[in-house]
């Protein structure tokens, strides 16, 4: 994988983040969605997911959140990421992932929201945010960090969303005003049941409009069709949940539950 997969540039306080932008082809303004990548980053599969959201009636920005280490793709990935490949890939990605501190996430999120607000391809106003794997935590941080700018947030097979750490994403729940949806995998060591319970409790205490569901039989990464964790049934359920959330968030915009306008 050597070809460029990005077609946009987002200026941030720390540099310029390359990004993928998808939108309906008629050039008109559409509701904005900020989509956070999983750890493997912007690649053909993630581009296809953004394109599907755009076909449903959204302008979608997928930033390379690891831009400080270089443009996407950071690694040459196999066409299908199997169990044997994962340890080496995560070892190589580890420094970049650890460098993405909560403060850096906030700066980047603000820059992406500013970029979307200024784009003639968006309708303006609050956006929806969705994320996958560690990107689900970025989505949660964005909703908590910018409550007046995020109307909906979704996360799927999220990792370490509610640890005991002082800077765990769930501790921002009392700042969230968005509607929240999380789809968890029940076979996911990165989000054990006690963390799911802790996240639910934090959202409930804060009075957040939320729904969390555990996808039985699904593994971490169930939405990612270029990995061995992919689960077609769980992925279809994820699309129904995400597009339903967007339809509620942007009423009258014709968000299509099948992912096509």
């Amino acid at each position: 994988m050597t070809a460029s997969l990005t077609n946009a540039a987002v200026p941030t306080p720390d540099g310029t983040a390359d990004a993928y932008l998808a939108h309906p082809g008629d050039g008109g303004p559409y509701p904005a969605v900020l989509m956070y990548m999983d750890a493997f980053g912007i690649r053909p599969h993630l581009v296809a997911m953004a394109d599907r959201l755009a076909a449903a009636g959204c302008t979608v920005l997928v930033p390379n959140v690891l831009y400080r280490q270089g443009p996407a793709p950071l690694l040459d990935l196999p066409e299908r990421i199997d169990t044997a490949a994962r340890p080496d890939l995560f070892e190589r990605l580890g420094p970049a992932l650890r460098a993405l501190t909560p403060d850096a996430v906030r700066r980047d999120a603000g820059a992406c929201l500013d970029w979307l607000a200024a784009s003639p391809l968006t309708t303006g106003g609050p956006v929806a945010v969705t994320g996958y794997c560690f990107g689900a935590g970025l989505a949660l941080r964005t909703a908590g960090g910018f409550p007046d700018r995020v109307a909906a947030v979704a996360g799927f097979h999220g990792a370490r969303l509610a640890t005991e750490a002082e800077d765990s994403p769930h501790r921002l729940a009392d700042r969230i005003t968005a509607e929240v949806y999380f789809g968890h995998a029940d076979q996911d060591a990165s989000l054990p049941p006690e963390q799911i319970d802790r996240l639910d409790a934090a959202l409930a205490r804060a009075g957040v409009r939320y729904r969390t569901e555990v996808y039985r039989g699904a593994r971490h990464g169930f939405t990612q069709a270029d990995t061995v964790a992919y689960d077609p049934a769980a992925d279809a359920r994820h699309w129904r949940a995400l597009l339903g959330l967007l339809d509620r968030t942007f009423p009258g915009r014709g968000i299509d539950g099948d992912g096509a306008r």
Side-chain angles (χ1 to χ4, degrees), residues 42-120:
I42 302 174
R43 58 196 192 280
H45 169 65
L46 218 63
V47 165
M49 293 179 71
D51 288 348
R52 180 168 177 175
L53 275 182
C58 302
T59 293
V60 186
L61 181 70
V62 189
N64 169 25
V65 299
L66 303 182
Y67 68 92
R68 294 171 181 83
Q69 281 67 43
L74 287 184
L75 303 178
D76 288 331
L77 297 172
E79 289 188 9
R80 185 169 176 79
I81 302 169
D82 60 23
T83 304
R86 290 176 67 88
D88 176 65
L89 293 174
F90 275 105
E91 181 177 356
R92 294 159 64 190
L93 287 167
L97 294 171
R98 289 190 290 272
L100 193 60
T101 64
D103 284 344
V105 171
R106 181 180 173 83
R107 292 194 297 272
D108 292 349
C112 289
L113 293 173
D114 287 345
W115 192 95
L116 284 167
S119 173

Side-chain angles (χ1 to χ4, degrees), residues 110-174:
C112 289
L113 293 173
D114 287 345
W115 192 95
L116 284 167
S119 173
L121 296 172
T122 72
T123 54
V127 310
V129 185
T130 186
Y132 301 86
C133 184
F134 92 110
L138 305 186
L140 189 58
R141 291 188 188 281
T142 301
F146 300 90
D148 59 332
R149 304 182 70 179
V150 177
V153 59
F156 299 91
H157 46 83
R160 292 174 288 281
L161 297 177
T163 71
E164 296 182 352
E166 288 299 319
D167 60 359
S168 175
H170 80 287
R171 298 187 187 277
L172 295 172
D174 61 354

Side-chain angles (χ1 to χ4, degrees), residues 180-202:
V180 173
Y181 176 89
F182 281 103
H184 307 302
D186 76 335
Q187 299 180 37
D188 192 346
S190 69
L191 195 75
E194 60 268 23
Q195 286 198 40
I196 295 175
D197 292 343
R198 190 179 293 138
L199 175 61
D200 284 354

